């Protein structure tokens, strides 16, 4: 199968597995070695060539021998090796080692493209974890969250709303009409039909790690049973649905909490058996719920970013003002009330709030659900009072030293008094038994002081005791509301919602019990899968088959629950007065000292010792090699959690409480206990044994929920996280079991119709009309032709069984036939296509020519019409333009003449005004000059008058002296006649 173009898988540190294509193969028979060069499918185009890895002379004898010898030195003498260079993988193979080690030296092959996204993992031709991981990723990318893995339904949490659970989807699967499409409703329908038609009780196991969607899957199963097959009226359907589904918010509030991995993690296991009557179409008549292993330590302690159980935060955020006042929960901001209590704030800042969750609204929903399941208003108030008492008890702090003993701090007296009042106990007695302990001797009883740390332990044990009893008490009204008539409860379908395998940085008693339960369930699952495989082989009457033994984890279970197992030693140490976690760990080391990591020979069972290991750098931890992963547990806290006991004095104090509800809870525990208080490990072991006994009497269905990414982001796939869960949940073990047998199973008729082509066209035509005997003979002929090795297949009564990888061989043979046929078909098809293309081309050419000539004639006519139209338009246009120019000229001339006339008038007006202004100025100047001249004339006249007077006087004198003045006499008339003529002077001036 490793030919050019084949695809194989290689391990990768980030994606776990990556696919690569074989681009070059070099074999040397003389040296007995070969080289395969692969390129990653996600590499760039420049990387897809083999150049750079193998040059032209790389395949030569000397060069290949030299490189393989170098690989031999690097691998400690083994010639075969795999090297990575960039985006390429170079696989060197020694043929001799290949014959000894088999396909382990070669990279696992990829499945054919037709199998990508297969709905059932067991139908894959090559079954290995790389193919499984790739198939799940491909379906997840296609928004397909469900995939079958044999009898297991693998469900990947989408972390987004998916439209696959409506009434239409229920109707699609009701009555078995859903076909082979994987879905949680298909599992529920198979269980329903098996219970009704097969008359056998059924169980659906829903398991997975925190955040994988177990609780949601279980809710949808319950909803399917409540709605899909209920034939009654609307009232009856509503009542059945309410009774079944109302248990979910109740147990989510009291049993779920926020963890580092999930905001709504179930911290307990739940088994719900839905009871049906024995009619032809069974109807729900009731139900019963069993719970086990509630994480009690969470009541008193939460890690960073984690929360206590949801109900505490719901009460603090949603209680009415009257209830808050009665319970003294504070009157401030209800959303921040959790910060006032030690038991709700240990997660740190912001840990009390969950994004997208309104605790106040959730409190209302929890109240309505409690009312639906039969818890009346008075009982609900009693529950809130007990929860408030636990919260106030957690605020009680202690002081004191080792010598003086512990005492209640003065600052905590208010919280202490409130806790005593709410719990209805005597405050003095409560104070005494929180800070004292009673030692019973043969003859006397002694009161001893306790240290501060021990007082805190007693306080927390009281809180955990009350909450655990309250949680157990809830089962009473819930089961009473679900219970049907005794004579009608003849059959049931159980839904087991259980935590998956857990492996944290620090693992304690809770993880130990959870992983112990998963070990038991995995063993039960393996036996169930083997039984189904064997039943199908017998039903098909295979001629001969041997089944490979599966990996039995019974030694690991013996290590945990055996006569001298971990639980037995833990119970023994818990009963000792001076028992401690360190001495418990030392007992384990001594008992299983023959295990890896500890020397010497111990007394433990050899098989069990192989599953135990002592860590190198710790004296209080131990490692158990579980089927899924090696887990190291810290022994610190094991004894306290296993005993989980409240001092007898405190128990009696609670039993004497004036608050009847608390007294009833304490009495419930007293009635359950015997002479010796059972340990939590023993109780869990017995409840787990009863659960497995119930499962053993029912037909099993499995749903494995997978958490695809740690960030809870929608539609994101983290390959390392998914692969770790597949290894831990048994899905890969199922595939390994199937791979050991005949994983590929095809109905005989389907096989013949698909692969008869390898025998010729006549055989393919006969495959669809053959009888049963003919089908079997035809099937055998096909197998003989394609698979010469008869050990690689078996022919049953109705199916053909193929070993792993043989389906890919059949597909390749079929592809070769189709490729050869395709060449012949292509030859004739291309000729026909060319002929048809030529005929179409010729017809098209004639059509185009006719259309073109018609178009050319139409264009010529159009051109002549346009030319004539142009001439007409030009003539009309010239005429119009001429008229327009004349009108425009006239208009312009009129405007210009008017403008010029106005300008002339304006200029004349201005000139006239200017001339008038000049005339006025000249007139004024003339008048001024006239005035000057008149003044001058007047002066001259005056002077003339004076001169005349002088002349007269002189004349008079001359007359008196005539002879002396004759020469200077001036006649007066001469001077008077000298005045100018005024009009004549003005005219002369204007003429100038």
């Amino acid at each position: 199968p490793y030919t050019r173009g084949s695809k194989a898988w290689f391990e990768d540190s980030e994606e776990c597995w990556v696919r690569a294509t074989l681009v070059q193969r070099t074999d040397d028979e003389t040296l007995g070695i070969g080289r395969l060069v692969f390129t990653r499918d996600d590499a760039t185009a420049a990387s897809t060539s083999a150049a750079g890895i193998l040059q032209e002379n790389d395949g030569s004898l000397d060069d290949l021998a030299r490189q393989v010898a170098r690989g031999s030195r690097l691998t400690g003498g083994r010639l075969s090796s795999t090297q990575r260079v960039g985006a390429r993988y170079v696989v060197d193979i020694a043929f001799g080692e290949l014959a000894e080690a088999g396909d382990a030296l070669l990279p696992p092959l990829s499945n054919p493209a037709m199998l990508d996204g297969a709905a059932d993992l067991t139908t894959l031709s090559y079954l290995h974890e790389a193919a499984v991981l790739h198939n799940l990723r491909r379906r997840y990318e296609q928004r397909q969250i469900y995939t079958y893995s044999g009898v297991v339904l693998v469900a990947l949490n989408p972390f987004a709303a998916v439209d696959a659970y409506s009434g239409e989807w229920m109707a699609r699967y009701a009555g078995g009409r859903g076909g082979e499409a994987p879905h949680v409703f298909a599992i529920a329908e198979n269980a329903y039909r098996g219970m009704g038609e097969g008359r056998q009780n059924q169980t659906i196991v829903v398991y997975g790690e925190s955040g994988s969607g177990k609780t949601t899957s279980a809710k949808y199963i319950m909803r399917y049973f409540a709605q899909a097959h209920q034939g009654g009226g609307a009232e009856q359907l509503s009542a059945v649905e309410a009774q079944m589904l109302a248990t979910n918010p109740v147990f989510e509030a009291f049993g779920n909490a926020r963890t580092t991995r999930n905001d709504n993690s179930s911290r307990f296991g739940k088994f719900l058996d839905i009871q049906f009557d024995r009619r032809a179409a069974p109807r729900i008549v009731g139900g019963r719920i069993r719970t086990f292993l509630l994480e009690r330590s969470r009541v008193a302690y939460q890690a960073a970013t984690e929360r206590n159980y949801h109900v505490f935060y719901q009460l603090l955020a949603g209680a009415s003002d009257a209830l808050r006042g009665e319970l003294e929960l504070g009157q401030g901001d209800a959303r921040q009330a959790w910060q006032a209590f030690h038991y709700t704030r240990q997660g740190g800042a912001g840990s009390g709030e969950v994004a997208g969750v309104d605790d106040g609204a959730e409190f209302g929903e929890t109240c309505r659900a409690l009312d639906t399941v039969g818890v009346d208003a008075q009982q609900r108030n009693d529950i809130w009072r007990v929860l408030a008492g636990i919260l106030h008890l957690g605020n009680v702090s202690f002081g004191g030293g080792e010598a003086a003993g512990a005492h209640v701090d003065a600052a905590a007296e208010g919280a202490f008094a409130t806790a005593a009042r709410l719990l209805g106990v005597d405050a003095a007695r409560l104070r005494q038994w929180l800070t004292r302990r009673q030692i019973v001797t043969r003859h006397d009883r002694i009161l001893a002081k306790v240290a501060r740390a021990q007082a805190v332990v007693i306080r927390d044990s009281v809180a955990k005791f009350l909450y655990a009893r309250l949680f157990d008490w809830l089962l009473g009204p819930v089961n009473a509301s679900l219970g049907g008539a005794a004579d009608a409860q003849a059959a049931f379908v159980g839904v087991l919602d259980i935590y998956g395998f857990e492996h944290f940085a620090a693992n304690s008693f809770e993880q130990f019990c959870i992983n112990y339960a998963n070990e038991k369930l995995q063993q039960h699952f393996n036996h169930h899968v083997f039984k189904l495989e064997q039943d199908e082989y017998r039903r098909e009457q295979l001629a001969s088959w041997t089944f490979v033994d599966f990996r039995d984890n019974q030694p690991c279970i013996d290590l945990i629950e055996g006569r001298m197992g971990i639980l037995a030693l833990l119970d023994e140490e818990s009963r000792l007065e001076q028992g401690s976690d360190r001495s418990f760990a030392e007992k384990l080391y001594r008992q299983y000292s023959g295990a890896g990591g500890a020397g010497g020979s111990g007394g433990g069972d050899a098989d069990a010792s192989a599953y135990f290991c002592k860590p190198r750098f710790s004296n209080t931890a131990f490692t158990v090699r579980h089927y899924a992963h090696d887990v190291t547990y810290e022994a610190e806290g094991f004894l306290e959690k296993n005993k989980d006991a409240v001092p007898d004095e405190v128990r009696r104090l609670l039993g004497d409480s004036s608050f009847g509800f608390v007294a009833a809870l304490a009495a419930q525990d007293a009635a359950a206990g015997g002479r010796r208080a059972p340990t939590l490990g023993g109780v869990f072991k017995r409840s787990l044994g009863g659960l497995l006994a119930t499962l053993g009497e029912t037909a099993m269905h499995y749903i494995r929920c997978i958490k695809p990414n740690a960030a809870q982001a929608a539609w994101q796939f983290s390959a390392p996280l998914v692969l770790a869960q597949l290894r831990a949940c048994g899905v890969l073990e199922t595939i390994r079991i199937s791979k050991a047998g005949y994983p590929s199973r095809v109905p005989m008729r389907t096989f013949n119709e698909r692969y008869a082509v390898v025998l010729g066209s006549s055989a393919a035509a006969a495959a669809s009309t053959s009888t049963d005997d003919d089908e079997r003979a035809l099937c055998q002929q096909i197998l003989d032709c394609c698979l010469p090795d008869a050990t690689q297949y078996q022919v049953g009564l109705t199916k053909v069984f193929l070993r792993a990888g043989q389906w890919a061989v059949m597909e390749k043979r079929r592809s070769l036939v189709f490729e050869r046929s395709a060449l012949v078909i292509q030859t004739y098809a291309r000729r026909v296509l060319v002929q048809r293309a030529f005929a179409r081309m010729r017809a098209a050419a004639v059509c185009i020519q006719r259309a073109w000539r018609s178009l050319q004639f139409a264009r010529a006519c159009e051109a002549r019409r346009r030319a004539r139209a142009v001439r007409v338009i030009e003539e009309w246009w010239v005429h119009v333009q001429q008229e327009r120019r004349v009108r425009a000229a006239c208009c312009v001339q009129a405007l210009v003449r008017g403008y010029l006339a106005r300008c002339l008038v304006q200029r004349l007006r201005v000139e006239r005004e200017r001339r008038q202004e000049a005339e006025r100025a000249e007139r004024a100047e003339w008048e001024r000059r006239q005035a000057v001249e008149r003044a001058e004339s007047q002066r001259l006249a005056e002077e003339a008058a004076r001169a005349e007077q002088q002349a007269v006087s002189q004349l008079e004198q001359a007359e008196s002296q005539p002879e002396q003045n004759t020469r200077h006499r001036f006649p007066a008339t001469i001077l008077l006649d000298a005045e100018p003529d005024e009009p004549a002077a003005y005219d002369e001036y204007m003429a100038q």
Side-chain angles (χ1 to χ4, degrees), residues 605-895:
D605 181 72
D607 292 339
S609 298
Y611 288 82
F612 182 89
C613 179
K614 177 185 179 299
R616 179 178 298 180
F617 301 107
S618 177
N619 291 323
T620 59
F622 60 93
T623 300
V624 177
R625 291 171 177 149
H626 292 284
Y627 74 94
H629 201 282
D630 293 353
V631 181
T632 299
Y633 301 98
E634 292 293 337
E636 183 179 355
F638 261 59
L639 261 67
E640 176 193 340
K641 294 176 181 179
N642 184 51
K643 290 188 290 188
D644 196 42
V646 178
D648 293 338
E649 295 78 18
V650 177
R651 200 184 301 265
R652 286 193 292 269
L653 174 63
L654 295 175
D656 296 338
S657 171
S658 60
F659 182 21
F661 190 71
V662 172
L665 295 180
Q668 171 191 0
D669 180 71
R675 209 170 94 184
R676 177 184 294 174
T679 61
L680 185 58
V683 172
F684 181 69
K685 179 181 176 181
R686 286 191 295 273
S687 63
L688 184 60
L691 174 64
L692 292 174
T694 302
L695 298 182
E697 298 173 354
T698 62
M700 300 298 298
H701 307 268
Y702 296 92
I703 299 177
R704 179 48 169 111
C705 298
I706 301 290
K707 184 178 182 179
N709 63 82
Q712 302 182 29
W715 302 112
Q716 292 188 11
F717 190 93
S718 173
L721 180 62
V722 173
L723 185 58
Q725 295 175 77
L726 291 175
R727 290 169 176 169
C729 71
V731 171
L732 296 180
E733 184 68 15
T734 307
I735 295 172
R736 194 192 68 81
I737 293 172
S738 300
K739 185 177 179 180
Y742 298 93
S744 301
R745 303 157 195 186
V746 190
M748 195 175 298
R749 178 174 291 273
T750 303
F751 182 84
N752 290 341
E753 292 175 353
R754 184 168 183 80
Y755 300 110
V757 293
V758 300
L759 300 179
S761 57
S762 59
S768 59
T769 59
S770 59
T771 61
D772 293 343
D773 294 337
D774 294 339
E775 281 186 358
R776 190 175 186 85
L778 179 60
C779 178
Q780 191 63 48
Q781 291 179 17
I782 297 171
L783 291 170
D784 293 340
C785 177
C786 298
L787 302 175
D789 188 358
T791 61
Q792 298 301 312
Y793 63 86
Q794 287 273 6
V795 181
L797 295 179
T798 61
K799 295 181 181 179
V800 179
F801 294 78
L802 302 175
R803 292 281 188 186
Q806 301 311 304
W807 198 350
V809 176
M810 297 295 300
E811 283 295 320
K812 193 166 187 177
R813 290 294 300 270
R814 181 174 179 269
S815 298
L816 291 175
V817 172
F818 279 109
E819 287 176 5
R820 289 194 297 267
S821 302
L823 292 177
V824 178
I825 294 173
Q826 287 174 359
T827 301
Y828 288 95
R830 286 170 180 168
R831 186 192 67 182
V832 172
L833 292 176
V834 169
Q835 290 176 345
R836 290 179 179 176
F838 176 75
R840 286 196 300 269
M841 188 182 301
R842 184 174 59 183
V846 173
C847 181
I848 291 173
Q849 289 175 356
R850 182 170 57 249
W852 176 252
R853 289 167 182 169
S854 175
L855 179 62
Q856 289 296 98
F857 179 75
R859 286 180 177 176
C861 294
E862 182 68 16
R864 287 194 296 270
R865 187 182 65 81
R866 285 177 176 270
R868 184 176 178 279
V870 166
R871 288 195 299 272
V872 174
I873 292 173
E874 284 179 349
E875 294 174 358
W876 175 83
W877 179 254
V878 169
H879 176 71
V880 170
Q881 291 298 322
Q882 185 67 26
E883 290 184 351
R884 185 178 297 173
R885 281 195 295 271
V886 171
R887 287 196 300 270
C890 293
C891 181
V892 169
Q893 288 177 359
L895 293 175

Side-chain angles (χ1 to χ4, degrees), residues 23-315:
V23 295
Q24 186 167 347
R25 175 173 177 172
T26 305
D27 293 334
D28 194 291
E29 299 295 340
T30 305
L31 291 176
I33 55 178
R35 165 167 288 191
L36 307 178
V37 180
F38 293 84
T39 3
R40 285 181 58 163
D41 289 353
D42 55 357
T44 59
S47 307
T48 56
S49 172
I53 294 295
L54 288 179
Q55 303 296 334
E56 292 296 332
N57 60 347
D58 281 347
S60 64
L61 179 64
D62 295 338
D63 186 74
L64 190 56
R66 183 172 61 257
Q67 295 188 29
V68 172
R70 183 172 65 249
S72 175
R73 290 193 301 273
L74 295 175
T75 56
R78 180 169 55 83
L79 297 178
S80 303
S81 65
T82 300
Q83 304 174 41
R84 178 181 177 181
V85 182
R88 306 177 187 88
Y89 297 88
V90 181
V91 182
D92 294 326
I93 297 296
F95 299 151
E97 294 176 357
L98 181 61
E100 296 177 2
D103 294 342
L105 297 178
L106 295 170
L109 287 170
S110 176
N111 286 286
M114 64 161 289
L115 296 178
D116 274 357
D120 193 340
L121 297 176
T122 58
T123 62
L124 298 177
S125 180
Y126 297 110
L127 284 173
H128 42 71
E129 67 177 31
V132 171
L133 187 65
H134 172 71
N135 196 76
L136 290 177
R137 183 201 292 269
R138 178 58 60 87
R139 289 184 61 82
Y140 195 66
E141 291 172 350
Q142 297 171 354
R143 301 298 192 262
Q144 300 290 333
I145 63 175
Y146 294 113
T147 307
Y148 283 127
S149 176
V151 297
V152 181
L153 176 68
V154 180
L156 277 73
N157 193 343
F159 294 114
V162 178
D163 183 19
Y165 307 102
S166 61
E168 296 179 359
W169 281 85
M170 291 185 184
R172 184 181 305 178
Y173 284 91
R177 296 187 293 270
E180 299 297 328
H183 198 282
V184 66
F185 290 162
I187 296 293
E189 178 62 23
N190 290 339
Y192 179 82
R193 296 179 66 186
M195 180 266 303
E197 298 174 3
R199 301 295 178 180
Q200 184 180 8
N201 294 330
Q202 311 283 314
T203 298
I204 302 174
V205 180
V206 185
Y207 60 117
E209 76 167 39
S210 178
S212 59
K214 303 184 302 296
T215 303
T216 302
S217 297
K219 287 195 294 188
Y220 284 130
I221 292 172
M222 295 168 60
R223 182 176 299 173
Y224 182 84
F225 287 136
Q227 295 179 351
H229 290 284
Q230 297 308 303
E235 287 186 11
Q236 182 178 1
L237 178 62
S238 177
V240 171
E241 181 183 7
Q243 290 177 353
M244 284 295 167
L245 301 183
T247 61
N248 290 319
V250 172
F251 285 104
E252 282 187 9
F254 286 87
N256 289 22
R258 176 186 183 179
T259 65
T260 55
R261 295 189 176 185
N262 185 14
D263 291 341
N264 189 32
S265 175
S266 298
R267 309 314 300 163
F268 70 105
K270 179 177 67 174
F271 182 75
L272 167 64
D273 55 2
I274 306 174
Q275 299 165 350
F276 295 82
D277 57 21
R278 286 293 188 181
R279 300 183 182 182
R283 293 186 304 108
I284 296 177
V285 294
R288 187 165 61 94
I289 294 178
R290 281 183 284 173
T291 62
F292 45 91
L293 196 62
L294 175 71
E295 188 181 11
R296 307 183 187 190
S297 61
R298 182 167 294 273
V299 177
Y301 171 76
Q302 306 94 45
T305 72
E306 294 191 346
R307 294 208 320 176
N308 209 324
Y309 290 104
H310 294 327
V311 67
F312 289 109
Y313 303 89
Q314 293 176 6
L315 174 63

Side-chain angles (χ1 to χ4, degrees), residues 87 139 261 334 350 402 466 482 516 553 582 647 825 896 979:
R139 289 184 61 82
R261 295 189 176 185
E402 293 290 337
L466 287 172
L482 295 179
Y516 164 49
N553 60 344
R582 187 178 184 85
I825 294 173
V896 170
E979 289 190 18

